[in-house]
Amino acid sequence: MDIKQLKFLIALDQTRHFGQAAALCHITQPTLSMRLRNLEDELDLVLVKRGQRFEGFTEAGERILAWARTLLAAHDGLQAEAASCRGQVVGSLRLGTVPLASFNPMHLLLPLREKYPELQFQLSSHSTEQIIDGLSRNQLDLGICYLDQVNASFFEVIELGTTTMGLLHDTRHFSFEQEQLQWNTLTDIPLGLLSKGMHYRQSLDLSFRSRGLEPLAVLESDSSFQLIQAITTGVCCAVMPLDCGLEDLSEHLRIIPIADASIHSQVGLLLRRSEPRSAIAEQCFAEARTLFQPD
């Protein structure tokens, strides 16, 4: 068994396609298949369900896949630790973030990129629960999430502020004269909403219900990108966080603050307290502390 076999297994999980996994790993598909079969022979397990195409992982494959992620994370951490001992910050920072919050993660990534030009980033979108789990399992280095579900005894925390909200719209399709909107004015506006069960959506639903209001929901999606697409085509508007950079995506996008619109739970940056922690995670967290908690 070698580290490349584990990388091939993880690539197959990411792409769910033999050819795409091979391309991602810069090898041929027959080589990928052969190396995975060698891994199965060594473990004496069937890991992959095979037909004319990839059909998923077996139960044993899912369990081995979890260990493969852990081992690969440890391997990457070892490489980062060696670089740190040489005075370098190189490798990849795995940052998980909740999909909508008033904190723009680019405000962290840009200064890190400027200070450590050899650093790479893996940015992924998750729920708060998934971020906590990913940090605990060493599948993420840092996480940006809501703090109401975080046990501070297990994580170091940098508070990043409260998420306030406004109505995001495209000026080619909607026009508003007010400088600030009231909640009751939103009920006649077609809205795009995140899917039920997501923290941001739950808070938004609570804001409407507490005022005895029902939103005019014309679209639901678990993707903030798809909500932006709907807004720019005129399908709807959306209640979105202020100060998260959405207006910068198009000259036609505008966001109007909504009175008394905020998510009560603060957003924070998390680093797991327990070892092992990668040198990259510790260095980037320390840099974030100087940026967002200068005192």
Side-chain angles (χ1 to χ4, degrees):
M1 183 189 306
D2 61 47
I3 201 70
K4 286 185 179 179
Q5 289 172 302
L6 303 182
K7 289 182 178 180
F8 299 159
L9 193 67
I10 291 172
L12 184 58
D13 179 49
Q14 291 173 334
T15 61
R16 319 298 287 186
H17 188 280
F18 287 108
Q20 293 175 14
L24 185 63
C25 297
H26 307 291
I27 58 173
T28 65
Q29 182 173 331
T31 298
L32 178 89
S33 297
M34 179 190 69
R35 296 300 301 278
L36 290 178
R37 286 193 184 278
N38 290 344
L39 179 61
E40 290 178 318
D41 290 342
E42 185 174 347
L43 297 174
D44 194 22
L45 291 170
V46 176
L47 305 178
V48 180
K49 298 176 184 177
R50 294 175 176 86
Q52 290 184 334
R53 62 188 66 184
F54 175 76
E55 296 180 356
F57 291 95
T58 64
E59 182 180 351
E62 293 286 357
R63 294 170 65 177
I64 295 300
L65 187 62
W67 278 103
R69 293 193 191 99
T70 300
L71 290 171
L72 192 59
H75 174 268
D76 292 344
L78 185 150
Q79 296 285 1
E81 193 70 38
S84 179
C85 292
R86 298 192 301 268
Q88 301 172 297
V89 178
V90 298
S92 183
L93 176 73
R94 301 165 301 167
L95 175 65
T97 179
V98 289
L100 290 176
S102 283
F103 180 79
N104 185 346
M106 297 306 125
H107 293 161
L108 172 62
L109 267 54
L110 181 59
L112 289 176
R113 176 67 177 162
E114 291 174 343
K115 186 165 185 177
Y116 308 117
E118 295 183 87
L119 189 61
Q120 299 173 334
F121 304 96
Q122 295 179 28
L123 184 62
S124 53
S125 179
H126 304 286
S127 67
T128 292
E129 295 89 344
Q130 290 170 330
I131 289 173
I132 292 173
D133 184 65
L135 290 169
S136 301
R137 294 175 180 269
N138 199 26
Q139 295 173 358
L140 293 172
D141 297 310
L142 300 177
I144 297 173
C145 63
Y146 296 104
L147 299 181
D148 57 344
Q149 301 176 41
V150 174
N151 187 335
S153 62
F154 297 116
F155 300 97
E156 293 188 44
V157 177
I158 298 174
E159 294 184 357
L160 299 174
T162 300
T163 295
T164 53
M165 297 177 286
L167 185 72
L168 185 70
H169 64 283
D170 190 304
T171 56
R172 293 170 296 183
H173 308 293
F174 292 90
S175 177
F176 301 95
E177 297 181 358
Q178 307 95 311
E179 293 185 359
Q180 186 181 64
L181 296 174
Q182 303 297 320
W183 280 99
N184 59 4
T185 64
L186 302 181
T187 56
D188 296 326
I189 301 170
L191 294 179
L193 303 174
L194 279 181
S195 300
K196 289 182 172 66
M198 302 184 77
H199 192 290
Y200 186 88
R201 172 64 186 275
Q202 291 174 343
S203 179
L204 193 57
D205 286 345
L206 179 61
S207 295
F208 277 108
R209 285 199 306 270
S210 65
R211 295 169 172 84
L213 303 174
E214 185 71 25
L216 177 59
V218 299
L219 173 71
E220 290 189 7
S221 174
D222 62 358
S223 166
S224 53
F225 174 72
Q226 289 176 344
L227 290 182
I228 298 297
Q229 286 181 309
I231 292 169
T232 56
T233 54
V235 171
C236 59
C237 304
V239 179
M240 292 289 197
L242 300 174
D243 305 318
C244 67
L246 292 176
E247 284 183 287
D248 299 333
L249 298 177
S250 168
E251 62 178 322
H252 303 293
L253 289 177
R254 299 287 185 276
I255 190 165
I256 304 175
I258 301 170
D260 301 319
S262 64
I263 295 178
H264 297 298
S265 175
Q266 284 209 343
V267 172
L269 180 68
L270 271 59
L271 171 68
R272 189 180 70 251
R273 290 188 184 275
S274 61
E275 298 290 346
R277 302 192 308 190
S278 76
I280 290 177
E282 292 180 344
Q283 187 65 41
C284 292
F285 191 82
E287 189 67 24
R289 197 181 294 280
T290 65
L291 289 169
F292 307 119
Q293 291 184 337
D295 298 327

